[in-house]
Amino acid sequence: MEVALGLLALVAVVCAVSALGHKINASVPLLLVLVGVVGSFLPFVPTIELNPEVVLVGLLPPLLYAAALQTSLFDFGSNRRAIGLLSVGYVIFGTVCIGFVVFWLFPEIPLPAAMALGAVVAPPDAVAATAIARKVGMPRRIVTILEGESLVNDATALVCLRAAIAAIAGTVSAAAIAGGFLLAAGGGLVVGIAAAFVLTALRKRIRNVAINTSTSLIAPLVAYLPAEAIHASGVLAVVVTGLIMGTKAPSMPNGAARLSQRSNWHTVQFLLENSVFLLIGLQVRTIIDGVQDDSLGPERIWLGCVVVLLAVLVLRPIWVVPATYLPRLIPAIQRKDPAPPWQYAAIVSWAGMRGVVTLAAALVLPADLEHRPVLILMALVVVGGTLTLQGLTLPALVRRLALRGPDPREDALNQASLMQMATAAGVARLQELRTDADPPEVVAMLKRRTQERGLAAWERLGRPTAEAATPSQRYAQLRLAMLDAERAKVLELRRGGQYAHEVLVEVLDRLDVEESMLDASLEEADAEGVGGGREGIARPGGVCPHLESAPDPAVPPDPSCLACEREGTTTVHLRMCLECGNVACCDSSPGTHAFRHFQASGHPVMRSVEPDEDWRWCYRDELLG
């Protein structure tokens, strides 16, 4: 009964604090940590001891798998050098440096134990990085690098921790450490690929949605347990499986199973990633009480905790800045991947929040280790300090450095263009498959509905000043009202007992599926603001003399943004001025040179010069042509 009440209270607090955080626009992870800290000192809240086995086996694999499912394998691959330097190089660098700092502060603590603490506090947490980075609205490349780092660095840290614990027992050598790294990386990679292959083959053959979804839910353990059994990295195996499964999922059959997987993993991720922050706070009182009688003395212990926290904060930029720019001194790397602006390195340096994995790893330290409570307290201070200092100041730093996240207007335009190409492919396939025996009205209906879906994507680009809903929005509003009436009628008939329960459930399920699709389209339009500002938001079909009279110059064979090349900024998409032919970057690019060209020259119309895009945009009238 106590376990059930504890789980109920945990979920209730997580849901309530998350709802409050979204309502007041505050950081949910930080709120949950604060609530946990307060709860740890309340007399009626029982002491909750964080079992490291529960975290490292029960929480970490599903959390990493959920994050990997949503991570693009292609983006991960294109940033593999930066991710590798952070997830492997920085963790080893941090482990060694923090180890020597702790040994310098406390000579009473053996060097292997100090190195173990270094391995514990070295890796930034996957949950903290993802939760805060997405809320802040960083550029996509920074988010990709931080997510990729946090997915892989736990594997490196746990291998370092195992080596340090073995050194404490006096049973390790340099060759053993190197062999452990090779086994962890190679074995984790092989097991992860094998698990993804087996799971993909199974799910392709399972048509039952419940069984298919259940297979997805056990995927983290299917990858983790065999890897750990052969002393490889179970964490790395889980990440590899998640990356592959996430990439293959859209091409797998059974759309209902894909929707079920996304919905269920979204719920699992929400509960687990928020619960871990609450658990961090609930450990505070227990850990503080554990060092009261330590022979090192309270003043010395707390001073050492502050020094270790400062070292963690300082060591990250010491590694990140050279790791960002030194490889680009090689001409081949510089040509393929030009150096990012210094603001990118600054943000990556400061986005190093630690989380529950750090605490769980600290609790793995041998129970008979001298001054073990002090090492655990240091880990707690690093977790709390980084979450507070970096988590609270990161949004302000992003704003101060004028870094922009993904532009919803640019995304809306790209979505409409992509939907248009998909619609064209669908209509072309329809023309291939149709036969003379097909009823003309069926073919016409299929074509009309497919084209209407594509047009709806363009309609969502309507002007912010437009008071009337677009046709697709009005359709959704009216259809939702009709569905309410249809559901009310079915429920009325259910009370009469005239129809079997199974029949009623089937009809209600069909209505729910259609309503969920309509709700999603309306929520997307509301979230994007349906307009707002400069490039990418327009109402197609508007009257604009600038669009009608604009010339049509030829697109250069190899276009590029010269301003980005001069300033060393990154180009996302290219646009060309139709008045003078100037090619510049879009509003999602850091430089926003196309818009700046319009401000400087007054030339109103530009066009996209991306492959398969020929739309035009009038800055002056905010219309798409």
Side-chain angles (χ1 to χ4, degrees):
M1 182 63 74
E2 292 182 359
V3 174
L5 288 175
L7 289 175
L8 175 61
L10 185 71
V11 174
V13 171
V14 163
C15 292
V17 175
S18 299
L20 175 64
H22 290 303
K23 186 176 182 63
I24 64 177
N25 196 29
S27 172
V28 172
L30 292 178
L31 280 180
L32 286 166
V33 171
L34 291 176
V35 170
V37 171
V38 173
S40 70
F41 287 94
L42 295 177
F44 57 85
V45 176
T47 300
I48 299 178
E49 294 188 7
L50 193 63
N51 188 326
E53 191 75 10
V54 171
V55 175
L56 297 178
V57 178
L59 295 181
L60 185 58
L63 277 173
L64 290 176
Y65 184 79
L69 278 178
Q70 302 175 50
T71 301
S72 168
L73 183 59
F74 305 105
D75 291 343
F76 188 95
S78 62
N79 292 282
R80 60 186 179 275
R81 184 185 67 255
I83 292 172
L85 286 171
L86 288 171
S87 60
V88 179
Y90 169 67
V91 170
I92 296 174
F93 172 75
T95 297
V96 174
C97 291
I98 294 296
F100 279 112
V101 168
V102 173
F103 185 65
W104 170 68
L105 290 169
F106 304 104
E108 300 89 340
I109 297 177
L111 182 59
M115 290 293 177
L117 179 67
V120 165
V121 302
D125 184 65
V127 178
T130 303
I132 296 180
R134 290 196 180 280
K135 178 179 174 58
V136 169
M138 298 182 191
R140 279 200 175 100
R141 187 176 188 187
I142 294 181
V143 175
T144 298
I145 292 173
L146 291 176
E147 286 182 342
E149 174 198 7
S150 60
L151 285 174
V152 181
N153 61 9
D154 287 329
T156 308
L158 292 177
V159 172
C160 292
L161 180 60
R162 289 175 184 171
I165 292 176
I168 293 173
T171 58
V172 73
S173 64
I177 294 175
F181 271 103
L182 291 176
L183 176 60
L189 183 63
V190 170
V191 173
I193 294 174
F197 176 80
V198 172
L199 290 168
T200 301
L202 282 175
R203 295 190 62 199
K204 282 182 176 179
R205 290 165 174 78
I206 298 174
R207 303 300 301 176
N208 184 279
V209 174
I211 300 176
N212 199 308
T213 304
S214 300
T215 305
S216 170
L217 292 175
I218 65 171
L221 293 180
V222 170
Y224 183 87
L225 295 177
E228 289 294 315
I230 64 172
H231 303 290
S233 173
V235 169
L236 183 59
V238 169
V239 171
V240 171
T241 301
L243 287 171
I244 296 174
M245 295 291 288
T247 302
K248 287 183 173 293
S251 61
M252 293 175 65
N254 200 339
R258 293 196 298 270
L259 290 173
S260 177
Q261 172 186 277
R262 284 198 294 270
S263 176
N264 282 282
W265 271 113
H266 181 73
T267 303
V268 169
Q269 184 177 19
F270 167 78
L271 288 175
L272 293 185
E273 74 178 13
N274 287 295
S275 296
V276 297
F277 290 111
L278 184 60
L279 290 172
I280 288 173
L282 289 171
Q283 307 307 302
V284 170
R285 182 176 180 180
T286 302
I287 293 175
I288 292 178
D289 290 343
V291 300
Q292 296 301 320
D293 299 326
D294 195 280
S295 61
L296 294 176
E299 294 84 2
R300 192 177 171 201
I301 290 173
W302 284 106
L303 178 61
C305 290
V306 172
V307 173
V308 170
L309 173 61
L310 292 175
V312 168
L313 296 176
V314 171
L315 286 172
R316 187 166 173 87
I318 290 177
W319 175 268
V320 168
V321 174
T324 300
Y325 296 104
L326 287 181
R328 290 177 170 88
L329 295 179
I330 302 173
I333 295 179
Q334 173 65 21
R335 287 193 300 270
K336 186 177 180 181
D337 183 19
W342 67 269
Q343 292 92 334
Y344 278 40
I347 292 298
V348 173
S349 298
W350 195 241
M353 292 74 67
R354 272 63 173 178
V356 72
V357 176
T358 293
L359 271 186
L363 295 173
V364 173
L365 295 173
D368 59 350
L369 181 64
E370 192 176 3
H371 306 297
R372 178 177 181 267
V374 175
L375 297 176
I376 296 176
L377 178 63
M378 289 181 185
L380 175 67
V381 170
V382 169
V383 172
T386 54
L387 281 175
T388 304
L389 294 175
Q390 296 179 324
L392 288 176
T393 58
L394 191 59
L397 181 62
V398 172
R399 291 192 296 269
R400 181 72 175 175
L401 297 180
L403 286 175
R404 303 176 56 187
D407 189 344
R409 300 164 300 180
E410 185 77 21
D411 287 349
L413 258 177
N414 291 330
Q415 179 186 348
S417 298
L418 183 61
M419 186 65 74
Q420 182 178 352
M421 289 185 283
T423 299
V427 172
R429 183 61 174 162
L430 174 64
Q431 298 300 329
E432 294 175 3
L433 296 177
R434 65 175 299 183
T435 65
D436 294 337
D438 292 327
E441 60 273 15
V442 172
V443 175
M445 181 175 61
L446 285 169
K447 187 175 182 179
R448 185 183 70 253
R449 288 186 177 179
T450 303
Q451 291 174 335
E452 285 174 353
R453 185 187 60 191
L455 290 174
W458 289 104
E459 289 169 1
R460 285 197 291 272
L461 304 175
R463 276 188 174 188
T465 54
E467 297 181 359
T470 64
S472 59
Q473 291 171 342
R474 186 58 179 160
Y475 169 86
Q477 294 167 356
L478 293 174
R479 184 58 188 144
L480 283 172
M482 293 170 64
L483 287 172
D484 287 340
E486 293 171 20
R487 183 176 294 101
K489 183 62 176 179
V490 174
L491 295 176
E492 177 188 338
L493 295 173
R494 183 181 65 175
R495 288 191 293 270
Q498 302 173 10
Y499 296 90
H501 175 71
E502 290 80 3
V503 175
L504 291 165
V505 168
E506 180 68 24
V507 174
L508 290 172
D509 284 347
R510 291 172 181 264
L511 297 179
D512 288 342
V513 169
E514 185 175 356
E515 181 180 348
S516 66
M517 296 172 63
L518 295 170
D519 283 339
S521 64
L522 288 178
E523 288 173 4
E524 182 183 72
D526 292 339
E528 292 175 354
V530 190
R534 306 199 300 263
E535 174 189 333
I537 302 300
R539 182 174 60 236
V543 177
C544 174
H546 308 105
L547 288 171
E548 293 178 351
S549 61
D552 190 18
V555 177
D558 189 19
S560 63
C561 179
L562 298 179
C564 278
E565 295 176 2
R566 287 195 304 269
E567 297 176 8
T569 55
T570 304
T571 300
V572 178
H573 295 127
L574 290 173
R575 312 296 183 226
M576 184 178 74
C577 174
L578 296 186
E579 188 76 23
C580 63
N582 176 71
V583 177
C585 60
C586 66
D587 282 3
S588 290
S589 305
T592 63
H593 292 118
F595 179 72
R596 288 161 62 179
H597 173 74
F598 159 68
Q599 290 180 312
S601 65
H603 299 163
V605 181
M606 65 83 178
R607 63 155 291 175
S608 171
V609 292
E610 293 298 311
D612 301 318
E613 293 185 6
D614 57 2
W615 51 266
R616 301 179 176 193
W617 170 261
C618 178
Y619 283 109
R620 192 164 297 167
D621 294 329
E622 295 185 352
L623 281 174
L624 190 74

